[in-house]
Amino acid sequence: MTLTLLAAEEEPNPLGFNVAEFVLVLIIFGILFFLIAKFVVPAFERAFEARRDAIEGGIARAEQAQAEAARLLEQYNAQLAEARTEAAQIRENARAEAQRIVEELRTQAQQESARIVARGEEQLAAQRSQVVRELRSEIGTLAVELSEKIVRQRLSDDAAIRGTVDAFLADIERQQAGEQR
């Protein structure tokens, strides 16, 4: 009891070293160190590794996506240039086709016009010859009637009448031919 009293009377030394407490703290520290090293550190390592893989994988995926986007952009630009070239070629072909169609239509129109003019000239020539025939017979009849009135006799010989009419018409045609020159 005296020892306890003495120990109670003495004030503990704050700088004093208690071996039992030190050993107990070392054992607890060792156990904690072992538990942290065995369970906590590997869990942290796995979490850090997963995070690093996610970040590096994300960077790699981003680089791959960027490379794919660049490749697709080049492909798009190539297709666009090809489409523009094809569109220009189609426009040129359309212009050439339109020009060909215009020339073909112009040729057809000229041929049709020439055909119409030729038909008109044929009809005109036919009408002219018909009018000339009608005029010859009419002029012949008028000439005979006029001759009868002048001569006061009837000319009954058809051959003589025709000869007179033909001579008269030939004189008229010669006069017209002389005037046209």
Side-chain angles (χ1 to χ4, degrees):
M1 232 190 348
T2 51
L3 271 164
T4 23
L5 283 177
L6 276 178
E9 286 180 15
E10 273 185 38
E11 281 193 35
N13 185 2
L15 295 178
F17 185 73
N18 189 349
V19 176
E21 286 179 7
F22 180 73
V23 171
L24 182 63
V25 169
L26 271 180
I27 291 173
I28 292 173
F29 178 76
I31 292 172
L32 282 176
F33 183 78
F34 175 75
L35 289 175
I36 289 173
K38 180 82 174 165
F39 298 108
V40 175
V41 170
F44 279 132
E45 288 293 327
R46 283 191 302 273
F48 288 140
E49 187 68 29
R51 176 121 182 167
R52 185 170 22 118
D53 287 345
I55 291 171
E56 288 175 359
I59 291 172
R61 285 190 302 273
E63 288 174 352
Q64 287 175 349
Q66 190 174 14
E68 180 70 16
R71 184 186 66 77
L72 289 174
L73 179 63
E74 287 178 20
Q75 182 181 1
Y76 169 76
N77 286 336
Q79 288 175 346
L80 184 62
E82 182 179 324
R84 286 181 179 157
T85 303
E86 188 175 328
Q89 185 178 12
I90 289 171
R91 277 193 307 271
E92 273 306 309
N93 289 345
R95 283 187 190 123
E97 182 69 17
Q99 185 67 26
R100 185 188 64 76
I101 289 171
V102 165
E103 289 299 321
E104 186 176 299
L105 290 175
R106 183 177 291 134
T107 303
Q108 287 176 355
Q110 288 172 347
Q111 290 172 349
E112 184 69 17
S113 173
R115 187 180 60 78
I116 290 171
V117 167
R119 186 182 305 144
E121 288 175 353
E122 289 172 3
Q123 288 176 352
L124 187 61
Q127 287 176 352
R128 183 176 181 265
S129 63
Q130 182 181 357
V131 167
V132 165
R133 279 193 309 271
E134 288 174 2
L135 284 176
R136 279 185 184 211
S137 71
E138 225 175 282
I139 289 174
T141 305
L142 289 174
V144 168
E145 288 175 5
L146 185 62
S147 299
E148 284 178 351
K149 287 181 182 177
I150 293 174
V151 178
R152 294 202 181 241
Q153 63 181 8
R154 172 129 174 95
L155 298 172
S156 57
D157 185 16
D158 285 339
I161 293 173
R162 282 193 192 127
T164 306
V165 169
D166 287 340
F168 177 70
L169 290 176
D171 285 342
I172 292 175
E173 286 178 358
R174 270 187 251 121
Q175 288 176 356
Q176 284 180 347
E179 289 176 6
Q180 287 179 354
R181 291 182 191 165

